[in-house]
Amino acid sequence: MNARSLVDTAKALVAPGKGILAADESTRTIGSRFDSIGVENTETNRRDYREMLFRTPGVDQFISGVILYDETLRQNCADGGSMVDLLTGRGIMPGVKVDNGAQQLAGAPGELITEGLDGLRDRLREYRDLGARFTKWRAVIAIGRDIPSEYCIEVNAHALARYAALAQEAGLVPIIEPEVMLDGDHSIDRCGEVTEATLREVYAQLARHRALLEGTLLKANMVVSGRDATERADSCEVAEKTVDCLMRSVPAAAAGVVFLSGGQSDEESTANLNAICKRGNERGAPWELSFSFARGLQSAPMSAWAGSAANAAAAQEIFHTRAVLTSAARCGKYTPPKTAAR
Ligand code: 13P
């Protein structure tokens, strides 16, 4: 393992003003997003949509890396060049989601375990040869009556740590994503409690698996109220509780924490990111704080594109605007547009 190059890559992914675009939706997940805009889920449509995003003029100023799905990492653009070359040519690092999705956890109704460790060492080598520089593995932790169980947190943290060690062995930076879900009517404090317990276990497992923390990024959920909570905490409380939670559970050696948008609207996720980054900097957070948004960056441009090449330029302009605003929020310098209904 080349420690220096892992550390350099991790740092470059959270370079000042920059963050990550998550475009690694599985074929099924992008299918449900395409359904909502009436676009057929074909390989060509998936390529055209993602190529349109990646070619957006000027976004390389704000986007350090893109997490791809296996299909995209191997895919060619309409002109025959590879997607990987398109990104690297613009100074954007290609990464890849390497887990195989979450399945029911045996003996734990309502809880999930992420699969994909079998054969991972070989797949990682192949991904590196295809040009990937970093990887992602997502664990899903649901909040509900009597869940999550310690069992669910432990086995998911164990899998994340096994993945991280294998990724580093292959020279690929692991993005470690234990996502505590937004679904439910729980309070922000319950989200904070579960997130803290999860992160403590994740870092205990990472230590046991000898991961080099300086060459890792944490992809974290924000500490927020459940989607259906009767009262939802504002950005100020989200920031305080998210920073509290991270300061208690994430070792200072980690290169950075990049937030997922997690199904919040793009305005809400950007405003919360801004408040968290501002508060984190005020409190001397030891890691870079940035973003790794999928829906927070893509919802608006995807709707504008709507499956038609004629809309590509307009969609790119909207994507560029989201990238500018999210980058500003990552620096704690975002001002919500006056027209936004919040
Ligand atoms: P969202 O920003 O839409 O939550 O997606 C991030 C992601 O990659 C989830 O794994």
Side-chain angles (χ1 to χ4, degrees), residues 1-15 20 24 64-68 73 93-99 120 123-125 127-129 131-138 160-177 203 206 211-219 253-258 292:
M1 158 169 100
N2 182 344
R4 189 72 256 156
S5 109
L6 287 173
V7 174
D8 289 347
T9 302
K11 278 194 183 146
L13 285 167
V14 288
I20 298 167
D24 59 333
S64 55
V66 179
I67 315 173
L68 303 171
L73 189 74
M93 283 189 272
V96 61
K97 182 233 294 285
V98 304
D99 66 69
L120 182 58
R123 283 197 292 129
L124 288 167
R125 257 191 232 122
Y127 286 144
R128 189 193 52 205
D129 293 345
R133 304 277 305 280
F134 67 99
T135 56
K136 183 193 100 173
W137 179 289
R138 172 174 177 258
L160 276 166
R162 284 204 58 204
Y163 140 74
L166 284 163
Q168 290 194 327
E169 180 191 85
L172 296 164
V173 166
I175 297 186
I176 296 151
E177 182 183 12
Y203 283 100
L206 285 168
L212 175 75
L213 293 186
E214 292 85 343
T216 62
L217 293 176
L218 172 70
K219 178 155 171 166
V257 178
V258 292
S292 174

Side-chain angles (χ1 to χ4, degrees), residues 22-25 33 67 97 136 138 177 179 219 259-264 292-297:
D24 59 333
E25 301 84 1
R33 310 261 153 90
I67 315 173
K97 182 233 294 285
K136 183 193 100 173
R138 172 174 177 258
E177 182 183 12
E179 179 176 357
K219 178 155 171 166
F259 291 96
L260 54 94
S261 54
Q264 304 176 80
S292 174
F293 283 2
R295 285 162 289 182
L297 280 166

Side-chain angles (χ1 to χ4, degrees), residues 8 11 13 20 56 63 68 79 108 110 129 148 158 194 235 264 269 305 314 339:
D8 289 347
K11 278 194 183 146
L13 285 167
I20 298 167
T56 299
I63 304 290
L68 303 171
D79 67 5
D129 293 345
H158 183 265
V194 171
S235 283
Q264 304 176 80
S269 52
W305 172 70
T339 48

Side-chain angles (χ1 to χ4, degrees), residues 259-302:
F259 291 96
L260 54 94
S261 54
Q264 304 176 80
S265 74
D266 44 15
E267 281 303 329
E268 187 181 5
S269 52
T270 312
N272 282 340
L273 177 71
N274 182 65
I276 292 168
C277 294
K278 223 167 137 176
R279 196 70 193 110
N281 292 335
E282 284 162 6
R283 290 181 54 187
W287 352 261
E288 283 294 323
L289 293 167
S290 187
F291 59 90
S292 174
F293 283 2
R295 285 162 289 182
L297 280 166
Q298 291 189 53
S299 302
M302 186 186 281

Side-chain angles (χ1 to χ4, degrees), residues 25 86 92 99 140 160 182 236 263 269 289 292 325 338:
E25 301 84 1
L86 166 62
I92 298 174
D99 66 69
V140 178
L160 276 166
L182 182 68
C236 198
S269 52
L289 293 167
S292 174
L325 297 175
K338 299 223 168 8

